[in-house]
Amino acid sequence: MKDITAKDVRLAIKNGLTPDELAEEYGLSLDQLKSRIRAIYKEGKGTKAQQIWGELEANRKKAHCRTKRKAPTVVEGTPKTIEPEEIQEQPEAESLQDLKGKEATLSAEVMKLESDHKELSGQHRDCIHALRELQTRIDNVRKELIACNQSYNEIASKADSIATEMNTISTLRREKVVVLERVRQEILEKSMIAVYVYKDGIIEAPENPDVALNDDGYQELKETIAEREECLDLRVRDVITLARLLKICESFDALTLVCDVPELEIAFWAIRNN
């Protein structure tokens, strides 16, 4: 019977295996599989293990949706099978480069709209101020009533026009902000790197084969972190692995860490976030 690891569990989730399929693959019962997952993810009150088990359970629904088909319909007197509805192809996901380009364009458009809105807001305030002055003149100087009333009507019309334009810009800006946030979220998801660390010191990113894992300079870093409180309970090999891991992940803005040594993972996040 093969021993199951965190990497095996992660790959099983990614490949859509259900708990029953994963248990069968490793010759385990469901209870044995659940106990093994709890042993792998020893943290908190089992929150991580519950999350992993939940992701495996979620694959049941995905598997059901993949196998579900529309039943054939038979018309009396004329045997006829109605073919399953044609599955529409999903549009291809945009590349990271395209999303970044779109983000830059949307950011510039939002900034331009905000600048235009600010300028028009100042103009609108000026118009309102002018209207008040003209209203006072109308009350105090009857002989200027006709001239002031004409100016009032013209400026009021301009103010209404500007207010309408401001409302249009505000609506457009809100729509652009929603799209911008969605694009930024997609960029974050596509930038996420999954890094796996094993007890023997191997570090890899199997889900991101094109990402370079460069640990240059880890020797100097090892000497720096060896005496830190976070590393006092680590093995010498783990301290070396931790130094390499910190160097490799220096350039990663977003990452998921799957580690066979919980103490090493805790020390990594403590030092990285410090």
Side-chain angles (χ1 to χ4, degrees):
M1 181 175 62
K2 296 187 295 182
D3 190 20
I4 189 169
T5 67
K7 176 182 176 183
D8 298 327
V9 176
R10 282 287 180 182
L11 290 178
I13 293 171
K14 179 180 178 182
N15 292 331
L17 294 185
T18 65
D20 302 281
E21 293 170 336
L22 182 57
E24 181 180 355
E25 181 175 338
Y26 285 87
L28 302 171
S29 66
L30 285 178
D31 288 340
Q32 289 173 332
L33 177 61
K34 187 175 294 186
S35 297
R36 180 54 188 149
I37 289 177
R38 289 198 194 101
I40 293 174
Y41 298 96
K42 298 176 182 175
E43 60 175 76
K45 295 184 178 180
T47 303
K48 186 66 175 181
Q50 292 173 3
Q51 176 187 338
I52 293 297
W53 188 261
E55 292 179 14
L56 285 169
E57 287 287 352
N59 283 340
R60 294 182 188 275
K61 185 175 181 181
K62 296 177 183 177
H64 176 71
C65 292
R66 288 196 302 267
T67 57
K68 187 177 181 181
R69 295 291 185 271
K70 185 175 180 180
T73 301
V74 179
V75 179
E76 185 176 355
T78 305
K80 181 178 179 182
T81 300
I82 298 179
E83 297 296 331
E85 296 181 359
E86 185 175 331
I87 300 175
Q88 296 183 350
E89 294 185 359
Q90 296 297 323
E92 184 177 351
E94 295 181 83
S95 69
L96 180 58
Q97 182 178 358
D98 290 340
L99 287 171
K100 288 186 175 180
K102 184 180 290 185
E103 183 207 23
T105 300
L106 289 169
S107 294
E109 291 175 353
V110 168
M111 291 176 63
K112 177 64 168 57
L113 291 170
E114 290 173 346
S115 176
D116 292 346
H117 189 281
K118 183 177 180 181
E119 181 179 352
L120 290 172
S121 179
Q123 295 179 22
H124 189 261
R125 285 195 300 270
D126 293 341
C127 290
I128 297 300
H129 181 68
L131 286 172
R132 290 172 179 169
E133 289 185 345
L134 289 171
Q135 186 65 59
T136 301
R137 287 181 60 190
I138 290 172
D139 295 339
N140 296 332
V141 188
R142 181 170 295 277
K143 39 178 141 175
E144 295 183 7
L145 179 58
I146 297 177
C148 290
N149 188 58
Q150 182 178 357
S151 297
Y152 178 88
N153 291 333
E154 290 175 354
I155 296 176
S157 177
K158 182 179 179 181
D160 290 341
S161 177
I162 291 174
T164 300
E165 187 175 354
M166 288 170 60
N167 290 335
T168 300
I169 289 177
S170 295
T171 301
L172 182 59
R173 178 191 175 279
R174 285 194 296 270
E175 294 172 353
K176 294 287 185 181
V177 167
V178 171
V179 177
L180 176 61
E181 289 304 317
R182 187 182 304 122
V183 169
R184 284 175 174 168
Q185 183 62 33
E186 289 187 39
I187 289 175
L188 179 62
E189 292 174 359
K190 289 181 180 291
S191 301
M192 185 72 68
I193 306 297
V195 178
Y196 293 80
V197 184
Y198 306 102
K199 289 182 180 180
D200 58 3
I202 293 177
I203 302 174
E204 62 178 2
E207 299 171 18
N208 306 92
D210 297 332
V211 174
L213 304 181
N214 186 359
D215 61 2
D216 290 347
Y218 80 88
Q219 290 285 3
E220 295 79 2
L221 180 60
K222 181 195 71 173
E223 301 300 329
T224 302
I225 66 174
E227 299 302 323
R228 290 189 57 151
E229 182 177 352
E230 297 91 340
C231 302
L232 295 181
D233 294 332
L234 296 179
R235 301 175 303 173
V236 174
R237 170 184 287 182
D238 293 337
V239 174
I240 296 173
T241 302
L242 176 59
R244 293 182 56 234
L245 181 62
L246 287 167
K247 278 296 180 181
I248 288 172
C249 297
E250 275 183 347
S251 60
F252 298 164
D253 294 329
L255 66 92
T256 298
L257 186 62
V258 180
C259 185
D260 283 349
V261 184
E263 296 81 6
L264 192 153
E265 181 174 355
I266 293 172
F268 170 81
W269 289 117
I271 295 173
R272 178 181 171 91
N273 296 330
N274 190 351

